[in-house]
Amino acid sequence: MKPARTKTPRKLVVKKGSQTSLKDPVGVYCRVRPLSFPDQECCIEVINNTTVQLHTPEGYKLNRNGDYKETQYSFKQVFGTHTTQKELFDVVANPLVDDVIRGKNGLLFTYGVTGSGKTHTMTGSPGEGGLLPRCLDMIFNSIGSFQAKRYVFKSNDRNSMDIQCEVDALLERQKREAMPNPKTPSSKRQVDPEFADMINVQEFCKAEEVDEDSVYGVFVSYIEIYNNYIYDLLEEMPFDPIKPKPPQSKLLREDKNHNMYVAGCTEVEVKSTEEAFEVFWRGQKKRRIANTHLNRESSRSHSVFNIKLVQAPLDADGDNVLQEKEQITISQLSLVDLAGSERTNRTKAEGNRLREAGNINQSLMTLRTCMEVLRENQMYGTNKMVPYRDSKLTHLFKNYFDGEGKVRMIVCVNPKAEDYEESLQVMRFAEVTQEVEVARPVDKAICGLTPGRRYRNHPRAGPVGDELLVTEVVLQSFPPLPSCEILDINDEQTLPRLIEALEKRHQLRQMMIDEFNKQSITFKAMLQEFDNGVLNKENYIQGKLNEKEKVISGQKLELERLEKKNKTLEYKIEILEKTTTIYEEDKRTLQQELETQNQKLQRQFSDKRRLEARLQGMVTETTMKWEKECERRVAAKQLEMQNKLWVKDEKLKQLKAIVTEPKTEKPERPSRDRDREKAPQRAVSPPPVPNVPPLRLRHRRSRSAGDRWVDHKPASNVQTETVMQPHVPHAITVSVANEKALAKCEKYMLTHQELASDGEIETKLIKGDVYKTRGGGQSVQFTDIETLKQESPTGRKRRSSTVAPTQPDGAESEWTDVETRCSVAVEMRAGSQLGPGYQHHAQPKRKKP
C-alpha cells in the first residue's frame, strides 16, 4: 500500500499593515465517537493526538492509480473514542470559561454530520455531563461567594445592563416573590431527577484569578435557528387550548458597540448550576427534533445557549456596588450545537423534513463560504465582502470572527463507512476553518479603585470574643475579695472582712444596675427616636418610590411609543430589503442576459471569422484554378498557332514543288464515260514489292497514356476500318458511364460518331478530367476534342481535255492540272503525320456558367 498523501501547507501571504502577533487561529478539535456495533466497517483511524486518516471503504471508487485513496487531516488536538468528557472540557472549554470570568467573550460550537455525537458532547448524558453543565459549574464555583443579590443587575432590550440600588433590588424581589407563578427559578427548589445526574459533576473546577473587589451576576438565554428564523426557547406563551398561538420569530439587532444580538430575547438571572441547567432543560424540551432514517432524535435546528456574566466593582468602602453603568463589564460564552449536515437520499426525508434539511445544509454552506472568504482575505490580502447576512447563523456570530472573542470548534465524526463522503466534506471544512485567524480580544480597563477594599473595613473579631472582652472589663471593676481561708476556730476577722467586701460588691452591683437601667431607658428613647427617623425615612423613600413609579410608567409609555415606531421602521426596513432583493434579482437577471448576449456575439464573431477563412480559402482555390486554366488555354492557343503555321509551311512547300516542276505535254482529258470505264482498272493495286513487310495497323497513342482512362463507347457506334485507330492502354471500357468506373480513373474519353455533310462518318474523341466532388461523387470537366474523319478521293478534279494514254506498267496517269493539285494540297489539315484527310483540333474547355 502506498503511503498516505498529505496536503502541502500553503504559504501564507501577510497583508500589508496587519499585525499578525495580535491574531490567533480558530482552534479546531476533532472528536471520534465509538462505533455502534463492533463489527461495523471503520473508515477513520486516529494516527496520533493531532492527526486522523480517512480510508476509502470497500465499494467506493478508486483513485487514478488504482489504489484506495487515503487522506490525512491535522487538528489542534484529536480525541479518540475513549476520551472522557472531563478531558475534553479541560482542553477545549476550560480556557474559554477562564476568559469569560476575566471579561472576554468566547464561542464554542460543535460541527458534524447527523449522528456524530454533537449533542452528547455539548449536553452530555446521565452520569456523564457534557461541556455545558461543566462550564456552568466552573463559573459558579469561581464566583459563588461574590455574587450580587438578585435584581441588582437588570437587563434591558439594548444588549446592556442596568444597576439598581439595594432598595430597588429588594422591592423587585418582594414583587417577584408575591407573584403566584414566579418566572425566575428558585435555588431552594428540588433538582429535577431527569437531569440531576447530568449536572452532578464530581470534579471540582475553579478559575485561578477572580477579582474579589467586584460582584457578579449570571444571565442565561436559549434560542434556536429553525428554517433560518430565530425563536426564543425561554419565552412564556399564554396557553390557549382553543386557538394556540404559534411562537414568534425574533429579529437581529446591532447595539451601540456594533455587536449583534437577538432583540426581545428572554434573559434569566440564575444563582447556581442547578438553576441554570433547569432553565436550559426547560428550553431543550421546546427544541425541534425529529426521527429520521439516520438518527432517532435528530436536531432539526441550530441551538445557541448564551451565558452572560455581568461584573461591576464595589465602591470605595467595599460595601455596595458602584452605581456607575460605565464600569459594568459584560462577557458572554456562546455554546452552539449545530444541526447535522445530511443528504436527503440517505435520510429519506420528505415534506417538512426535506425543507428542514435544505435550510440546514444552506446555513452550513453559508458558514463554509464565510470561512473561505475570510481565509482568502487574510492569505492573499484581498478585501472581499464576507456574506454574513446570507444566514442568521453567520450574521449572529459575525462579531466573533471580527475580533470580539476566541472561537473554538469541535468536529465530531462517526467512523462508520456509511458516513465516509459526509465525513470527507466535514474534514475539508475543518481544514479551511483552522486557517482563519481571529483578532485577539482587548483586555478590560481597570476601574482605578484601591484593591482589597472588600475586607479592609470589616473587623476580624467575632461575637464570642466581644462577649468575653465585656465580661473581663466588668469583673475588673469590682473590688478584690479578701482571703477566705480560716485557720483558727477563734478567727473573728476573716468573716467580717469577707462580709464587708461582699456588701461593697453588692452596693457596687446595685449602682451598676441602676446605671444600666438609666442607660437602658436612654437607649430605648434613642431607639424610639431612631425608629421614628427610620419610619420618616421609609415614608420619604415610599414617596420617592411613588415618584419613580410615575416616572417609570411615563417611560414605559414612551417605550411603548418607541417600540411602535420601531416596529414601523422595521416593517419599512423589511419592505426596503424585499425591494432590494427584487432589484438584486433583476440585476442578476440583466447580468445573465448581458452575458448571454456577449456569448452570442462571441459565437457570431467566431462564425464570421471561420466564414472569412473559408471564403479566403475558396478565393485562393478559385484563383489557382483560373491560373491553371489560363495557362492551359495559352498552351492550347500556342499549339493551335503552331499547327496553323505548320499548315501554311506545308502549303507553301507543296506550292513551291508544284510551281518548280518541269512542264510536260498535257494529255488529253478522257471523257466521263472513259473515266467510268477505267475506274475499275485504277482500283487494281500494283503487285506487291518483294521483301517488303506487310503494313501493320498503327494505333494512335493518347498524349495522357500514363493515367487510367474510362473509355466510353456507346453501343450504337459503328466500327471503322481506318488505318489509324485510337488506343489507350489500361483503360476501362464501358458502354454506359457509371460512378464505380469514374472513381477508379483520372481521365475520361467519350467516342461520338455523326454523319458529315459529305456523307462520311466523322468520329469525335471527347476527352476530360475526372474530379471528386465535396458530396463524395465524381464530376467530369471536358478539356479536349479529337476528330477522326475519312474522305473519298473520287471527287477530286482531273484533266477533262483528252484521255491520257495508258502507261505500260498499268499505273495511273500523273496529275497534270496544277489547280487540282494545289486544291489537294490546300485541303490537307494539321498533323501531316496522320496522313491527308484527318483533322486534329485542340479546343479549349468551357467554364460552366
Side-chain angles (χ1 to χ4, degrees):
M1 181 179 295
K2 293 184 178 181
R5 180 178 62 85
T6 58
K7 294 184 178 292
T8 304
R10 185 180 295 174
K11 185 177 180 180
L12 295 179
V13 179
V14 180
K15 186 177 179 182
K16 294 183 178 180
S18 63
Q19 299 178 356
T20 55
S21 60
L22 299 179
K23 288 186 177 182
D24 296 321
V26 176
V28 182
Y29 303 85
C30 179
R31 186 180 193 183
V32 183
R33 65 160 290 176
L35 292 170
S36 302
F37 303 100
D39 56 348
Q40 277 186 314
E41 183 182 0
C42 181
C43 66
I44 297 178
E45 179 185 359
V46 179
I47 302 300
N48 51 43
N49 61 347
T50 60
T51 308
V52 295
Q53 180 170 296
L54 266 70
H55 305 279
T56 305
E58 296 182 1
Y60 280 78
K61 293 182 179 179
L62 304 179
N63 60 2
R64 295 180 180 177
N65 298 327
D67 300 331
Y68 285 101
K69 184 177 180 182
E70 297 178 352
T71 311
Q72 291 185 357
Y73 294 92
S74 299
F75 297 88
K76 193 169 184 178
Q77 187 166 340
V78 176
F79 301 94
T81 56
H82 302 291
T83 303
T84 62
Q85 300 278 47
K86 177 66 168 56
E87 296 173 353
L88 182 66
F89 171 79
D90 290 341
V91 175
V92 181
N94 192 312
L96 293 179
V97 177
D98 195 56
D99 285 346
V100 168
I101 294 175
R102 288 185 292 180
K104 300 178 182 179
N105 297 329
L107 172 62
L108 173 63
F109 59 95
T110 56
Y111 181 83
V113 301
T114 299
S116 58
K118 301 183 298 298
T119 304
H120 171 75
T121 300
M122 187 62 69
T123 307
S125 58
E128 193 175 9
L131 299 180
L132 190 148
R134 292 178 183 273
C135 290
L136 292 172
D137 190 66
M138 179 176 176
I139 290 174
F140 286 108
N141 288 340
S142 304
I143 65 168
S145 58
F146 308 126
Q147 291 191 67
K149 293 183 179 180
R150 203 183 295 271
Y151 304 120
V152 170
F153 298 109
K154 190 174 182 180
S155 63
N156 52 34
D157 293 336
R158 297 180 298 277
N159 198 30
S160 59
M161 288 287 170
D162 297 329
I163 304 178
Q164 297 189 124
C165 63
E166 293 289 342
V167 177
D168 293 338
L170 177 61
L171 293 176
E172 186 76 17
R173 287 195 297 271
Q174 292 176 355
K175 186 186 298 183
R176 295 298 179 95
E177 290 174 359
M179 296 175 63
N181 295 320
K183 294 183 181 180
T184 304
S186 175
S187 57
K188 299 179 181 179
R189 294 165 57 182
Q190 188 176 3
V191 180
D192 192 345
E194 189 176 3
F195 58 83
D197 293 338
M198 292 186 184
I199 61 175
N200 187 16
V201 180
Q202 300 296 332
E203 302 85 359
F204 182 81
C205 188
K206 180 181 179 182
E208 296 180 358
E209 297 181 4
V210 181
D211 187 6
E212 296 181 350
D213 294 324
S214 299
V215 292
Y216 299 86
V218 180
F219 294 81
V220 295
S221 60
Y222 196 18
I223 62 171
E224 72 169 350
I225 303 175
Y226 175 73
N227 287 341
N228 208 26
Y229 288 98
I230 301 176
Y231 296 97
D232 185 5
L233 295 178
L234 302 181
E235 186 177 14
E236 296 291 340
M237 300 297 296
F239 178 71
D240 190 356
I242 300 175
K243 188 177 180 181
K245 187 177 180 181
Q248 297 294 323
S249 62
K250 303 297 181 180
L251 298 176
L252 288 178
R253 297 275 181 80
E254 192 176 47
D255 62 9
K256 61 180 180 180
N257 297 323
H258 305 289
N259 295 323
M260 302 307 300
Y261 70 99
V262 180
C265 180
T266 304
E267 290 184 342
V268 181
E269 185 178 8
V270 290
K271 294 297 180 182
S272 64
T273 305
E274 293 78 9
E275 280 187 59
F277 202 82
E278 181 182 356
V279 173
F280 165 77
W281 198 254
R282 189 172 74 231
Q284 184 75 359
K285 292 180 179 179
K286 296 181 181 180
R287 189 182 175 189
R288 291 171 174 86
I289 59 173
N291 185 8
T292 64
H293 188 71
L294 299 180
N295 193 355
R296 184 171 59 87
E297 293 183 357
S298 175
S299 302
R300 312 310 297 166
S301 63
H302 310 300
S303 67
V304 182
F305 187 76
N306 289 319
I307 305 173
K308 186 177 291 187
L309 183 65
V310 186
Q311 179 180 355
L314 294 173
D315 56 10
D317 296 333
D319 296 329
N320 300 315
V321 182
L322 188 64
Q323 299 290 317
E324 293 183 10
K325 189 176 179 180
E326 294 77 12
Q327 297 294 335
I328 296 178
T329 302
I330 300 176
S331 56
Q332 180 172 291
L333 176 61
S334 298
L335 304 175
V336 185
D337 182 12
L338 297 177
S341 60
E342 57 189 25
R343 289 189 299 169
T344 55
N345 57 353
R346 292 190 60 204
T347 57
K348 311 297 181 185
E350 296 178 354
N352 291 334
R353 300 289 87 79
L354 181 61
R355 187 174 73 256
E356 293 168 356
N359 287 309
I360 291 171
N361 294 334
Q362 180 64 34
S363 61
L364 295 177
M365 183 61 68
T366 304
L367 177 62
R368 180 169 185 169
T369 304
C370 293
M371 294 295 105
E372 292 175 351
V373 175
L374 282 171
R375 183 188 66 168
E376 183 177 353
N377 289 342
Q378 294 172 3
M379 294 179 66
Y380 303 111
T382 58
N383 194 19
K384 291 185 178 179
M385 186 183 70
V386 184
Y388 290 121
R389 292 179 177 269
D390 291 352
S391 173
K392 294 292 178 59
L393 178 66
T394 54
H395 195 192
L396 179 60
F397 296 116
K398 82 178 188 66
N399 303 107
Y400 288 96
F401 297 104
D402 291 341
E404 290 296 332
K406 289 185 178 180
V407 181
R408 297 289 181 266
M409 181 176 74
I410 301 176
V411 176
C412 299
V413 292
N414 194 338
K416 66 179 181 179
E418 290 82 358
D419 290 348
Y420 171 75
E421 293 185 1
E422 289 85 351
S423 299
L424 189 63
Q425 297 297 326
V426 169
M427 293 295 180
R428 290 173 181 171
F429 171 68
E431 187 179 32
V432 173
T433 304
Q434 59 188 347
E435 293 180 359
V436 176
E437 293 183 346
V438 178
R440 188 175 299 172
V442 182
D443 293 334
K444 67 175 183 178
I446 302 176
C447 64
L449 296 175
T450 306
R453 56 190 177 276
R454 178 183 288 271
Y455 301 113
R456 185 181 57 189
N457 299 326
H458 289 233
R460 296 292 180 181
V464 178
D466 294 341
E467 183 177 355
L468 293 176
L469 182 62
V470 171
T471 305
E472 185 177 357
V473 171
V474 171
L475 290 177
Q476 289 178 359
S477 62
F478 285 104
L481 293 175
S483 175
C484 299
E485 183 179 1
I486 299 177
L487 299 177
D488 189 4
I489 192 171
N490 296 320
D491 188 1
E492 296 180 354
Q493 294 179 357
T494 302
L495 289 177
R497 285 198 301 269
L498 181 60
I499 292 170
E500 183 180 0
L502 289 174
E503 287 178 351
K504 288 181 179 179
R505 284 196 171 210
H506 179 71
Q507 292 176 359
L508 183 60
R509 177 175 177 272
Q510 192 65 34
M511 290 172 59
M512 292 178 65
I513 290 174
D514 294 339
E515 185 66 25
F516 177 76
N517 291 330
K518 291 179 182 179
Q519 291 182 359
S520 297
I521 295 171
T522 305
F523 184 70
K524 286 180 180 180
M526 291 174 63
L527 284 177
Q528 187 68 30
E529 185 179 356
F530 181 75
D531 289 339
N532 296 330
V534 169
L535 183 60
N536 294 331
K537 287 184 178 181
E538 287 181 354
N539 295 330
Y540 174 76
I541 291 172
Q542 188 65 34
K544 290 289 185 180
L545 287 176
N546 294 332
E547 292 178 359
K548 287 186 177 181
E549 286 180 356
K550 292 180 181 179
V551 174
I552 289 172
S553 61
Q555 291 179 351
K556 285 182 178 179
L557 294 175
E558 183 67 17
L559 285 175
E560 290 177 357
R561 186 184 65 80
L562 292 176
E563 285 179 354
K564 291 179 180 179
K565 184 178 179 180
N566 195 12
K567 289 181 179 179
T568 305
L569 293 175
E570 289 176 356
Y571 178 72
K572 291 181 179 179
I573 290 172
E574 289 180 357
I575 293 176
L576 291 175
E577 288 179 351
K578 291 179 180 178
T579 307
T580 305
T581 304
I582 294 172
Y583 285 155
E584 288 178 353
E585 291 178 355
D586 293 341
K587 180 181 176 182
R588 284 195 293 267
T589 305
L590 292 175
Q591 286 179 350
Q592 292 176 358
E593 291 180 357
L594 181 60
E595 291 177 358
T596 305
Q597 293 295 332
N598 289 334
Q599 293 176 0
K600 187 176 180 182
L601 289 176
Q602 290 291 338
R603 287 196 298 269
Q604 290 179 355
F605 183 68
S606 301
D607 294 341
K608 182 180 178 181
R609 284 189 295 181
R610 286 196 296 270
L611 183 60
E612 288 177 354
R614 187 170 66 182
L615 290 176
Q616 187 68 26
M618 292 175 65
V619 169
T620 305
E621 183 180 358
T622 307
T623 304
M624 293 176 64
K625 285 184 179 180
W626 275 107
E627 289 178 355
K628 292 181 180 179
E629 178 66 18
C630 291
E631 292 176 358
R632 190 192 63 77
R633 289 188 181 184
V634 170
K637 196 67 176 177
Q638 290 177 355
L639 181 60
E640 182 181 357
M641 298 301 293
Q642 290 176 2
N643 289 336
K644 288 182 180 181
L645 184 60
W646 179 84
V647 170
K648 288 182 180 181
D649 291 341
E650 289 295 326
K651 286 181 181 181
L652 290 175
K653 288 179 183 179
Q654 292 182 9
L655 287 174
K656 182 178 180 182
I658 293 171
V659 171
T660 58
E661 278 184 357
K663 294 183 180 179
T664 58
E665 292 183 1
K666 294 182 182 180
E668 295 181 358
R669 185 174 183 177
S671 63
R672 295 188 178 217
D673 296 335
R674 190 175 295 179
D675 290 338
R676 293 190 190 99
E677 290 175 359
K678 290 185 179 181
Q681 294 179 1
R682 293 198 308 269
V684 177
S685 57
V689 181
N691 297 328
V692 177
L695 183 65
R696 294 177 58 188
L697 293 176
R698 295 178 62 191
H699 297 283
R700 181 174 180 269
R701 183 175 180 82
S702 173
R703 288 179 298 177
S704 303
D707 298 328
R708 292 289 301 273
W709 286 78
V710 176
D711 190 2
H712 182 190
K713 293 182 178 180
S716 61
N717 284 2
V718 178
Q719 184 70 28
T720 61
E721 296 180 357
T722 59
V723 176
M724 297 296 178
Q725 291 287 337
H727 175 69
V728 180
H730 307 294
I732 300 176
T733 305
V734 295
S735 59
V736 177
N738 57 71
E739 185 179 356
K740 184 175 181 182
L742 291 174
K744 296 180 181 180
C745 301
E746 296 85 13
K747 300 289 185 178
Y748 173 81
M749 183 175 68
L750 171 63
T751 304
H752 175 65
Q753 292 181 344
E754 63 182 7
L755 193 63
S757 60
D758 56 356
E760 297 295 336
I761 297 176
E762 185 180 64
T763 304
K764 292 184 178 181
L765 303 179
I766 306 171
K767 297 183 292 182
D769 296 331
V770 180
Y771 294 100
K772 292 184 179 180
T773 62
R774 292 185 180 180
Q778 287 78 26
S779 66
V780 177
Q781 191 169 15
F782 295 103
T783 60
D784 197 6
I785 298 178
E786 293 185 8
T787 304
L788 304 178
K789 186 176 179 182
Q790 183 178 4
E791 294 180 356
S792 177
T794 56
R796 293 175 182 171
K797 292 183 180 181
R798 301 290 184 177
R799 289 186 60 180
S800 57
S801 59
T802 57
V803 179
T806 306
Q807 300 295 330
D809 56 359
E812 292 182 318
S813 61
E814 293 181 356
W815 298 57
T816 58
D817 191 354
V818 178
E819 183 182 358
T820 303
R821 294 179 66 183
C822 288
S823 66
V824 173
V826 171
E827 288 178 357
M828 196 169 188
R829 306 294 182 179
S832 62
Q833 72 271 18
L834 301 178
Y838 287 88
Q839 295 179 353
H840 176 220
H841 301 286
Q843 299 180 2
K845 65 179 181 179
R846 296 179 181 179
K847 185 69 176 180
K848 293 183 180 181

